[in-house]
Amino acid sequence: MRYYSFFVACLIGILSGCKQDLTVTSPDGSIKAGLYVQAGQVGYFVKVDTTDFILPSPLGLQAKRGVLDKDFKLMGVKHASAEEEWTSPWGENKQHSDRHNELEAQFKNTDGVIMTIRMRAFDDGIGFRYEYEVPGPDTVKVMDELTCFNLASDGTSWSIPGSFGTYELEYRTLPLSQVQDANTPFTFRLPSGLHGSIHEAALYDYPEMTLSAVPDAVAPSFKANLAPWPDGVKARVPKKFRTPWRVILITRDAPGLVNSDLILNLNEPCALEDVSWIKPMRYVGVWWGMHLGIQSWYDDGRHGATTANAMKYIDFAAANGLEGVLFEGWNDGWASWGSRDDFDFTKPAADFDFDKVVDYAASKGVSYILHHETGGNIVSYEKQLDTALDWAAAHGIHALKTGYAGGISGGNNHHGQYMVRHYQKVVEEAAKRQIMIDAHEPIKATGIRRTWPNFMCREGARGMEWNAWSAGNKPEHQTILPFTRLLGGPMDYTPGVFDITYRNIVGNPNLKAWNNNHIATDCRCNTTIAKQIADWVVLYSPMQMACDLIENYQGHPAFQFFRDFNADCDWSRALAGEVGEYIVVARRAGDIYYLGAVTDEVARTLEQPLSFLPEGCTYRAEIYADGPDASWEKNPYSYTITTQEVTSADTLTLALATSGGTAIVFKPL
Ligand code: NOJ
Ligand code: CA
């Protein structure tokens, strides 16, 4: 380690002697990153407050043809700065500021390969990307990415394993030194209290990056591991290409990670001229019944998406002021889960009168959210895509949930370049027809919503569905998601189960285990009811679902919170929290504020100042809290609703039960 520091110091000395400054510092001066060349190989390092954060770590790619990783000489260096305010058409925040300094260093090697490293330092982390020009034929086959993240010390980390097939895996809390592989966002805390998260931004036409531990390294070191094509090639790129940004968020505390704009700032401005049709929404749908196993996606006598059921859900949405309704199982092909190319995206099921349902929803002012489950059959889906989207648009549809539950065509990885291209194609084709996308089994979120704001949300982690047919999401799950998965962007978690232990489906004659796992009545949600409500605030999505059967909401006093909620927030802020323990988030939509607080399996009392409210205004706080006797295991249904007048000078005591929560709506008086 000492050797490297000395080497870097010498190198900086030599280079600055040549007036080629290969370092870049954040606007506030706290983060300093830089590049070096050692025996023709380029690397980088990061320091925070002059202390090593990332030790010298190699950079470069390897290709089938051409040397992309060595024999480099520095050709030139440019420095730039940016200070820009920009807005997005929908929440969590509409105002953003991008302040960074940039280093652009160009290297050339004996093969004539030009490699430019563009590195940006922000007050809350750094990002860098490769820009290559490779002489010779038009296509380059990237075989490996050598980027390493050599951390300067051990610490605690939170991550899912580095699978190329799914993100629906349990989070692990592990010392950095014990992580073998991980997907990103890969979040960690160092003994100094600094928090970090390694991720990527603007992932286009390239495979996803996971991380693999470097064996026998002196300190925890991780190397980029790209999802390959079936033939082992990692990426097929043109001879002039650039990679996604490699991102390291660095903040003083855990909420700082959540409050960072860095990933969005590394994405390009909005590509759409007219965004007036993009509208966040709250929704209900024919969905949870299938996961519970009391309904099915096709007509086996238990079909959920029947015309009559759809009408009921539309009436419920309209009566409660909700903007959207989803019907899964509306189309043909579900009996075989789309095998033999059976999913047909323009053919409604025999007992689902599509035109009638669409017209009824429109007459009630409720948006119809269409559903395309592909089962992973991309070839069949892409064949139908144009017709299917034209057909949807002709029916006045502006929202589409997609799904990829199954093996991908041609043996491709779920997260490889083939799929990255596919997800993007769907978003762009949908945008042409003014359709918003909510993708399940998606590619990870990397801030593309700034450029393509019709890409509203996605799944990409264990969502609510896991509580219906598995041991379920652990109490800590919702206290890890905001600091990991959600750093990439909003998640369609689908919160809001009020029948937490499924007591209302006991004895239902239709009940069946639908996927050979647990039967729903052996399962449950591992939270209190107040935590389910708080999740609507904490787990932000611009398409936010109240996922339970509507019968469980009808007449329930606590459903008022969802009626009062707004999925289109103007401003959001994580106020407090520790990864895997608890989080408190505040949001504002118009002049109404919301607060959500959730905890893991530990009950805790939080003193929360209301200084985020504007000074001099009085609010009526409507507080949905755990009952004094609530606990997720023994008494999950115990809750209270109280009201109180408050101002920004007040502090509220939030008493959270085990796996409990508090949700508050602040209405100005
Ligand atoms: C998995 C999705 O996450 C879920 O929301 C959907 O209901 C099923 N696939 C069927 O499409
Ligand atoms: Ca899923």
Side-chain angles (χ1 to χ4, degrees):
M1 188 189 308
R2 229 180 268 139
Y3 161 76
Y4 274 126
S5 303
F6 171 69
F7 167 74
V8 170
C10 290
L11 193 85
I12 293 167
I14 293 162
L15 291 168
S16 48
C18 314
K19 302 235 177 335
Q20 297 271 44
D21 180 7
L22 273 176
T23 64
V24 59
T25 305
S26 60
D28 69 1
S30 66
I31 298 177
K32 182 172 187 170
L35 301 171
Y36 62 89
V37 198
Q38 182 186 14
Q41 219 210 343
V42 179
Y44 78 103
F45 64 91
V46 183
K47 289 173 188 286
V48 181
D49 301 331
T50 70
T51 304
D52 289 333
F53 189 85
I54 299 280
L55 296 171
S57 302
L59 293 173
L61 303 183
Q62 283 177 339
K64 227 173 195 153
R65 175 184 63 74
V67 176
L68 271 55
D69 61 330
K70 53 186 188 221
D71 306 331
F72 282 112
K73 272 198 187 127
L74 181 64
M75 303 300 289
V77 171
K78 286 186 202 155
H79 289 269
S81 301
E83 197 160 339
E84 190 205 342
E85 306 293 317
W86 59 275
T87 55
S88 33
W90 47 265
E92 313 157 66
N93 286 296
K94 296 218 173 78
Q95 303 296 325
H96 307 266
S97 75
D98 176 0
R99 282 193 189 83
H100 68 256
N101 293 320
E102 181 181 282
L103 162 71
E104 180 191 330
Q106 198 178 78
F107 304 88
K108 193 170 181 179
N109 71 11
T110 40
D111 243 29
V113 172
I114 296 175
M115 177 180 80
T116 302
I117 306 289
R118 190 174 301 280
M119 186 175 243
R120 291 186 183 164
F122 300 79
D123 290 346
D124 51 9
I126 68 147
F128 58 87
R129 77 171 353 158
Y130 301 91
E131 298 170 5
Y132 273 100
E133 286 177 52
V134 185
D138 287 345
T139 309
V140 175
K141 291 180 186 165
V142 175
M143 301 307 291
D144 200 8
E145 178 170 330
L146 304 181
T147 310
C148 279
F149 303 88
N150 296 342
L151 289 154
S153 79
D154 207 345
T156 307
S157 73
W158 295 269
S159 68
I160 51 170
S163 159
F164 299 136
T166 181
Y167 305 112
E168 297 187 30
L169 301 167
E170 280 192 330
Y171 279 89
R172 312 152 309 170
T173 305
L174 285 173
L176 282 164
S177 52
Q178 282 178 30
V179 175
Q180 286 308 309
D181 58 85
N183 218 316
T184 70
F186 176 59
T187 296
F188 52 90
R189 184 183 59 221
L190 301 183
S192 62
L194 283 178
H195 284 66
S197 191
I198 298 172
H199 191 41
E200 52 187 315
L203 170 55
Y204 293 100
D205 203 12
Y206 201 75
E208 81 163 350
M209 174 186 74
T210 66
L211 301 172
S212 295
V214 178
D216 305 324
V218 279
S221 297
F222 299 95
K223 184 190 155 302
N225 189 12
L226 305 178
W229 288 80
D231 64 0
V233 173
K234 300 285 173 77
R236 295 179 144 81
V237 289
K239 58 199 269 187
K240 187 169 175 191
F241 69 98
R242 57 190 203 183
T243 66
W245 294 89
R246 276 52 188 111
V247 169
I248 310 166
L249 299 181
I250 305 168
T251 61
R252 306 276 159 193
D253 54 21
L257 294 175
V258 179
N259 295 329
S260 172
D261 257 353
L262 193 154
I263 289 168
L264 285 173
N265 284 334
L266 289 174
N267 276 270
E268 300 295 323
C270 184
L272 305 176
E273 257 166 47
D274 175 15
V275 292
S276 59
W277 51 275
I278 302 178
K279 294 203 170 73
M281 59 171 81
R282 294 159 299 164
Y283 72 101
V284 286
V286 175
W287 179 77
W288 189 230
M290 280 87 93
H291 286 271
L292 289 176
I294 56 167
Q295 292 176 328
S296 78
W297 278 276
Y298 58 99
D299 189 6
D300 64 350
R302 306 177 307 139
H303 193 199
T306 61
T307 310
N309 230 355
M311 299 303 203
K312 259 182 17 195
Y313 270 75
I314 293 167
D315 284 339
F316 178 85
N320 288 281
L322 310 180
E323 295 84 5
V325 178
L326 166 80
F327 307 109
E328 288 199 5
W330 69 274
N331 63 326
D332 223 36
W334 283 91
S336 66
W337 201 279
S339 65
R340 305 180 309 271
D341 297 345
D342 281 352
F343 279 130
D344 186 327
F345 303 107
T346 56
K347 190 171 173 207
D351 55 351
F352 190 78
D353 187 337
F354 187 78
D355 289 336
K356 187 172 168 185
V357 174
V358 165
D359 289 348
Y360 191 61
S363 75
K364 294 277 181 172
V366 175
S367 285
Y368 183 114
I369 305 170
L370 195 66
H371 184 230
H372 287 174
E373 173 56 65
T374 68
N377 192 340
I378 306 306
V379 172
S380 166
Y381 187 43
E382 289 202 354
K383 255 189 241 154
Q384 299 184 60
L385 189 62
D386 278 339
T387 322
L389 293 178
D390 286 345
W391 186 83
H395 283 91
I397 282 165
H398 286 287
L400 169 65
K401 171 178 173 178
T402 55
Y404 298 88
I408 301 297
S409 302
N412 275 284
N413 274 308
H414 235 103
H415 310 154
Q417 186 180 15
Y418 174 82
M419 284 305 284
V420 171
R421 284 180 182 164
H422 169 76
Y423 292 113
Q424 189 57 27
K425 179 181 178 143
V426 173
V427 168
E428 294 186 22
E429 289 302 325
K432 286 183 197 159
R433 286 127 173 135
Q434 303 200 335
I435 294 174
M436 298 175 273
I437 296 291
D438 164 10
H440 276 234
E441 297 78 43
I443 189 65
K444 62 173 74 165
T446 57
I448 280 167
R449 69 190 185 283
R450 176 175 178 187
T451 315
W452 298 96
N454 65 314
F455 204 161
M456 307 300 282
C457 59
R458 52 189 109 196
E459 191 186 35
R462 281 191 184 216
M464 179 62 80
E465 61 188 29
W466 283 81
N467 295 316
W469 34 256
S470 80
N473 299 327
K474 290 186 186 145
E476 66 175 14
H477 188 57
Q478 300 83 2
T479 69
I480 297 179
L481 284 175
F483 302 105
T484 51
R485 159 67 187 82
L486 271 64
L487 299 179
M491 173 176 178
D492 189 29
Y493 182 89
T494 70
V497 169
F498 279 14
D499 184 22
I500 289 177
T501 55
Y502 315 145
R503 56 188 183 183
N504 297 341
I505 60 164
V506 174
N508 187 314
N510 288 337
L511 184 62
K512 270 192 204 164
W514 71 274
N515 66 356
N516 302 324
N517 283 342
H518 300 260
I519 187 122
T521 44
D522 295 337
C523 305
R524 55 162 299 170
C525 297
N526 300 324
T527 73
T528 65
I529 190 165
K531 186 174 178 180
Q532 290 288 326
I533 299 165
D535 280 343
W536 279 322
V537 183
V538 170
L539 306 176
Y540 177 77
S541 176
M543 289 174 67
Q544 187 61 293
M545 189 178 201
C547 77
D548 208 342
L549 308 172
I550 53 176
E551 300 82 66
N552 294 324
Y553 297 137
Q554 269 150 346
H556 199 302
F559 195 64
Q560 184 58 40
F561 186 85
F562 197 65
R563 276 185 216 115
D564 287 338
F565 191 61
N566 192 331
D568 188 12
C569 292
D570 297 310
W571 168 89
S572 297
R573 188 124 195 117
L575 303 174
E578 292 292 349
V579 190
E581 295 180 19
Y582 72 98
I583 183 166
V584 186
V585 179
R587 306 195 192 279
R588 176 179 67 77
D591 56 1
I592 298 187
Y593 283 78
Y594 305 95
L595 180 145
V598 297
T599 180
D600 60 0
E601 68 286 348
V602 178
R604 58 186 96 226
T605 302
L606 305 171
E607 297 298 327
Q608 183 55 57
L610 303 183
S611 48
F612 59 87
L613 294 172
E615 264 178 54
C617 304
T618 305
Y619 289 82
R620 180 183 143 98
E622 297 170 3
I623 305 170
Y624 299 71
D626 290 315
D629 54 351
S631 87
W632 76 271
E633 279 172 300
K634 299 215 174 76
N635 203 2
Y637 294 100
S638 169
Y639 74 98
T640 59
I641 304 176
T642 54
T643 59
Q644 179 175 338
E645 280 189 19
V646 296
T647 70
S648 62
D650 290 317
T651 292
L652 284 182
T653 301
L654 313 176
L656 313 179
T658 59
S659 198
T662 300
I664 308 176
V665 49
F666 299 90
K667 299 177 178 168
L669 287 174

